Amino acid sequence: MEYDDTPEAQALAERTREFMESEVRPAEREALKQGSVEDGVRHELQEKAREAGIYAPQIEEEWGGMGMEFADVLPTFEVAGRYLLGASAIRIDAPDEGNMHTLELVGTEEQKEEYLRPLVADELRSGFSMTEPQPGAGSDPKMIQTTAEKDGDEWVINGHKWWTSNGSVADFLIVMARTDEDAHPYNGCSLILVDVDTDGVEIVRDIPHMGGGLSDDGHAEITYDNVRVPEENLLGELNEGFTHAQQRLGPARLTHCMRFSGMAERALDIAKAYVSEREAFGTPLAEKQGIRFDVADAEIRLHAARSMVRHAARQISAGSEARIEVAMSKVFTANVVNDILDQTVQMCGGNGIGKDLPIAHFYEGARSFRIVDGADEVHKRVIARDAFEDVDPTEVEHVLRY
């Protein structure tokens, strides 16, 4: 299927595809045999990605990336998503990718030198510490309980977080905390940079969860007990934490969409090859109409998801927040990916649930996509609220009249 991607976007995606097949796929196959990724494999792949000219395409050259337009890197995110080690190999892996974006947008020059440059180079790892256990913030971020109070020239942070991706391997965390308890949380929260070796930071545990696998570095539960950091660790504007989080999450949701659609695409490719070869009841499975219709539906919906994401990305590149377009893309893509992966497991039968193929790994990891970065229901609430804003009470009677 052809899309209106720029020549630069197409060229980068093609170079990435060649790199993934020649370098990442063999490393992935070996890691699957061993059940883990050996130390050094990640950095070796990254060094080769630099040589191939595909490393960190979404970050400005000044900070170690390639400086490409946001919309132009999305096809590459999809290509990388086809491989279990693809995103980390070219440094577009979450949550570091989103944290790079946040630092690049709102960080001071000093913060960029201290945190962004080594983060892009993969000399540091990071976590985004926002979600809290009950009664704190989950799907409703207004319930955030963690506080950061000013004491002289320091912030003193107290709170309890969980589901902090990379938390147990991170060198630093971006912490969302209430800095004005008298204000509405949307107007009274800030982002603060916290080194994990700061006194009072305790990584309680990695939360056992569905999925995981080779590219998952855990989701930590963390407590902050009178954690003191310098006032210059404030990231962005005071009390604008939710504004900055939205600046981070909008593009991050779209890059997630493309990585996951890459998973679905590869799973579908594997399933089509399998049913073309596998015979049952006298003919190849690929000749059964039920399977052919399932594949047709999958291709239609995957094309629609890609088109929606590209539309939202163009809106962001043009300076729009594109909140509704992003919400629609995220909900639709998450459900399409889950449905396609479920179909491909079924099409491949025993080979689908076995782990000689990557489909089972994709299937386990993709279910969380309907929850992380905003559950389906939260995004639908936003979309519905916007839809009903178009209803003019003075026009209701006219609209309802035949």
Side-chain angles (χ1 to χ4, degrees), residues 159-181:
H160 187 185
K161 302 286 190 179
W162 69 342
W163 294 113
T164 298
S165 300
N166 274 7
S168 58
V169 300
D171 298 286
F172 72 94
L173 305 159
I174 298 177
V175 181
M176 176 76 81
R178 297 192 68 164
T179 44
D180 184 351
E181 293 192 68

Side-chain angles (χ1 to χ4, degrees), residues 305-325:
R306 291 183 179 123
S307 299
M308 289 177 70
V309 172
R310 282 171 166 81
H311 170 72
R314 286 194 296 270
Q315 298 295 101
I316 289 176
S317 290
S320 169
E321 187 177 284
R323 190 172 185 186
I324 302 303
E325 291 89 341

Side-chain angles (χ1 to χ4, degrees), residues 93 95-105 116 119 125-129 165-166 172-174 235 248:
D93 43 333
D96 287 340
E97 192 277 327
N99 292 338
M100 293 179 212
H101 183 62
T102 306
L103 283 160
E104 192 174 31
L105 280 175
L116 176 59
L119 186 60
R125 303 293 301 279
S126 66
F128 191 75
S129 199
S165 300
N166 274 7
F172 72 94
L173 305 159
I174 298 177
L235 179 58
R248 173 192 189 277

Side-chain angles (χ1 to χ4, degrees), residues 19 52 93 101 106 110 123 130 163 182 203 258 274 329 369:
F19 175 80
D93 43 333
H101 183 62
V106 302
E110 292 78 11
E123 295 167 0
M130 178 174 175
W163 294 113
D182 295 327
I203 310 299
M258 293 304 279
Y274 177 80
S329 298
F369 190 34

Side-chain angles (χ1 to χ4, degrees), residues 79-102:
V79 171
R82 291 172 56 94
Y83 304 84
L84 298 172
L85 303 179
S88 62
I90 64 173
R91 206 61 178 117
I92 61 169
D93 43 333
D96 287 340
E97 192 277 327
N99 292 338
M100 293 179 212
H101 183 62
T102 306

